[in-house]
Amino acid sequence: PQGIGSPSVYHAVIVIFLEFFAWGLLTAPTLVVLHETFPKHTFLMNGLIQGVKGLLSFLSAPLIGALSDVWGRKSFLLLTVFFTCAPIPLMKISPWWYFAVISVSGVFAVTFSVVFAYVADITQEHERSMAYGLVSATFAASLVTSPAIGAYLGRVYGDSLVVVLATAIALLDICFILVAVPESLPEKMRPASWGAPISWEQADPFASLKKVGQDSIVLLICITVFLSYLPEAGQYSSFFLYLRQIMGFSSESVAAFIAVLGILSIIAQTIVLSLLMRSIGNKNTILLGLGFQILQLAWYGFGSEPWMMWAAGAVAAMSSITFPAVSALVSRTADADQQGVVQGMITGIRGLCNGLGPALYGFIFYIFHVELNELPMPESPSGGSVVAQYRLQQNSIIPGPPFLFGACSVLLALLVALFIPEHTNLNVRSSNWKKHCGSHGHPHSPQAPGEAKEPLLQDTNV
C-alpha cells in the first residue's frame, strides 16, 4: 500500500498540526488584511465570510464522509487539506479573491471529519477516546505556538514572508499526505464498484437533526447545545479581530492571548474536568461550565480595558468544559446502539452553529455600528489615543453588543439544562439511520469527549 508504514494515529496528528500551524501563522496578517479590504463593515464581512464557510461545511460534511467510506480516506484527506489551504497564497495576490475562496472552501473544509474517520478505522473502540483526544490536543498545540511566530516574523521581516512560509507548510502537508500517509480503509470494506450505494439519507446534513424531537431528554440536550454553542461559534470567528481593532491589542498581544487561552483550555478539559466530574457529577459540571460561559461573555460585552479581556479569557478557558461534559452525559446515558444517533444530532447542531454564529455576530456588530475608521497601531505612541478617541465616539455603554447577546443565549441554555435529569436512558427511534451510523457514522459522529471539543478557532481562518 502507498505510504510509509502502517496507518497510525500519528499520521493523522501530523496532517492536522501542519494544516492549522500554517493558518495560525496568518492570524495577525489576516486581521490586518480583513480591515484594509473591508474598512467600512469589517465585522459584518468577517461574519458573512465565516458564516458562508461554516454553512457550506455543515452541508457538505455528511456527503464527504459517505464518499470517503466508499473511495477511501487518503484521497479525501488530500482534497480537504488542499482546498482548506488554497486561499493562503492569495492573501498577497488579491485580498478579494482570498476572502472569496475562503468562503467557497467551506465545501471541502472538513478535515476534522475525515481525520476522525481515519482514526476510527485504525483504533479499537476502547482506544478511540484517547486517540481523538490526541488529535484535538495537537490542534490546540498548533494554535498555541503559530500565531506568536507569525506575529514576530511579520513585524521583523514583513507579512509577505509569513504568507510564503504558511504556503510552504501547506504544501509540505499535501506532500506528506501524498507520500507518507497510508490508506486506512481496507479494500474489503469498500463496495466492489464506484457506482456505489450512497443514499440521500447518508448525504443529508439534516438527517441527524430530524431525530431531535423524538425524545424529550434528547430535545433538552440539543437545545442546550444550540443555545450555548451559537455564541461560542460567533465568538471564535470575530473575537481576535475585536481585540485587534477595538480593544487596541498589538499583534503580539493577540498571539499571546491565543497561547494562554489554549494552554488554560487544555488544562481545563483534562485535569479540571476529570476532578469536577468525580466530585460534583456530570450535570452539575455542565451547569458550572455554562455559568462560566455567561460570566466570560458578559465580561467581554461590558469590558473596556485590556486587563478585563485577559481576565475574561481565563474564565473562557474554564467554560470549555461544557461540551465534553455534555458528550460524556450522552455517552453514559444512551444505549450502546444509540450512541451514533445521539452524538450525530449534537454534532449536526454544532455544525449548524458554526455557520449561523459568525453571521449573527457580524450582523449584531453592524447593527450597533461597532466599526473603526482607521486601524489602531498600539505599537506606536499614538495608538492609545486612537483607541481612546474611538471609545469616546461610541455612544454606548456596551463595547461588545454580540457578547452580551451571547450571554443571554447561554443563560437560556442554563435554564434548559436544569431540566436534564442526571441519570436516564435515551430512547431515539432511528430505524435505518441507526444502521447507517453504525457503519458510516464516524465521519460526522464523534464518540468521545476528547474529540467532541474542538478548541479555539476550529476550522476558521483565525
Side-chain angles (χ1 to χ4, degrees):
Q2 294 181 342
I4 298 175
S6 57
S8 70
V9 177
Y10 299 108
H11 289 103
V13 161
I14 293 172
V15 170
I16 285 291
F17 182 84
L18 290 175
E19 177 180 331
F20 289 99
F21 190 88
W23 274 112
L25 289 172
L26 297 178
T27 301
T30 296
L31 300 182
V32 176
V33 171
L34 185 65
H35 179 77
E36 291 175 348
T37 308
F38 309 107
K40 297 290 185 184
H41 305 300
T42 310
F43 288 97
L44 177 64
M45 293 308 299
N46 177 63
L48 291 177
I49 291 164
Q50 296 302 326
V52 169
K53 179 181 178 182
L55 284 174
L56 289 176
S57 297
F58 166 70
L59 294 172
S60 65
L63 177 60
I64 289 180
L67 289 173
S68 73
D69 285 341
V70 177
W71 296 341
R73 313 294 182 206
K74 179 171 180 171
S75 56
F76 282 91
L77 274 178
L78 188 63
L79 190 71
T80 55
V81 169
F82 175 81
F83 279 99
T84 303
C85 296
I88 291 177
L90 294 174
M91 177 183 282
K92 285 299 176 184
I93 298 172
S94 171
W96 281 91
W97 276 106
Y98 170 70
F99 291 114
V101 174
I102 283 179
S103 299
V104 178
S105 71
V107 174
F108 296 100
V110 289
T111 308
F112 266 98
S113 296
V114 184
V115 163
F116 286 146
Y118 188 95
V119 171
D121 291 339
I122 58 178
T123 55
Q124 300 297 321
E125 193 167 345
H126 66 279
E127 305 172 319
R128 210 161 286 161
S129 176
M130 185 177 295
Y132 284 152
L134 181 61
V135 172
S136 293
T138 302
F139 167 74
S142 70
L143 289 177
V144 165
T145 55
S146 54
I149 295 171
Y152 171 77
L153 293 176
R155 181 165 53 83
V156 177
Y157 301 105
D159 289 345
S160 296
L161 176 69
V162 180
V163 174
V164 170
L165 180 61
T167 304
I169 292 174
L171 289 173
L172 176 64
D173 197 11
I174 292 170
C175 292
F176 177 78
I177 296 171
L178 279 171
V179 175
V181 175
E183 177 56 60
S184 66
L185 192 66
E187 283 286 343
K188 62 184 179 183
M189 290 183 63
R190 301 187 218 172
S193 70
W194 275 36
I198 301 262
S199 66
W200 165 245
E201 199 169 19
Q202 289 172 258
D204 181 7
F206 298 97
S208 59
L209 304 183
K210 291 173 183 174
K211 311 292 179 187
V212 167
Q214 295 184 359
D215 185 280
S216 58
I217 308 303
V218 173
L219 182 61
L220 290 173
I221 292 174
C222 289
I223 291 174
T224 301
V225 170
F226 180 81
L227 291 174
S228 63
Y229 193 71
L230 185 68
E232 188 175 339
Q235 175 186 328
Y236 286 163
S237 71
S238 62
F239 184 62
F240 300 115
L241 176 65
Y242 179 78
L243 289 179
R244 182 83 173 91
Q245 305 293 333
I246 305 302
M247 299 309 299
F249 275 45
S250 66
S251 300
E252 291 78 10
S253 297
V254 172
F257 190 95
I258 295 173
V260 172
L261 192 62
I263 293 170
L264 291 177
S265 295
I266 293 171
I267 295 172
Q269 291 179 63
T270 52
I271 301 171
V272 177
L273 179 63
S274 61
L275 290 174
L276 288 174
M277 295 281 274
R278 284 199 299 268
S279 58
I280 64 175
N282 206 320
K283 178 183 173 180
N284 290 330
T285 302
I286 295 172
L287 297 176
L288 184 64
L290 291 173
F292 278 120
Q293 190 177 357
I294 294 170
L295 178 60
Q296 58 104 351
L297 284 168
W299 211 339
Y300 284 151
F302 287 111
S304 57
E305 298 295 333
W307 71 266
M308 296 180 180
M309 299 297 104
W310 284 97
V315 178
M318 280 300 301
S319 72
S320 67
I321 63 176
T322 304
F323 194 76
V326 168
S327 295
L329 178 66
V330 168
S331 65
R332 288 179 180 180
T333 55
D335 294 333
D337 62 346
Q338 299 282 304
Q339 291 286 336
V341 179
V342 184
Q343 294 281 12
M345 293 177 198
I346 295 174
T347 308
I349 288 173
R350 278 170 59 91
L352 194 59
C353 290
N354 280 329
L356 296 177
L360 182 63
Y361 265 51
F363 184 63
I364 296 174
F365 273 124
Y366 174 71
I367 289 176
F368 283 86
H369 306 291
V370 181
E371 300 293 345
L372 198 58
N373 293 327
E374 59 181 285
L375 185 68
M377 299 299 291
E379 299 85 33
S380 68
S382 61
S385 63
V386 173
V387 178
Q389 288 170 13
Y390 166 77
R391 289 177 187 154
L392 289 174
Q393 291 168 1
Q394 284 292 102
N395 297 319
S396 172
I397 61 170
I398 306 174
F403 303 112
L404 197 60
F405 167 83
C408 296
S409 176
V410 180
L411 179 61
L412 292 175
L414 179 65
L415 296 175
V416 172
L418 289 171
F419 293 95
I420 300 174
E422 178 76 49
H423 301 289
T424 185
N425 286 321
L426 304 182
N427 180 26
V428 184
R429 297 175 294 280
S430 56
S431 62
N432 294 330
W433 197 85
K434 187 201 303 180
K435 288 189 288 185
H436 158 62
C437 264
S439 57
H440 302 294
H442 40 254
H444 54 96
S445 300
Q447 299 176 8
E451 65 126 348
K453 179 66 182 175
E454 294 140 15
L456 293 176
L457 307 167
Q458 190 270 327
D459 240 6
T460 72
N461 66 312
V462 286

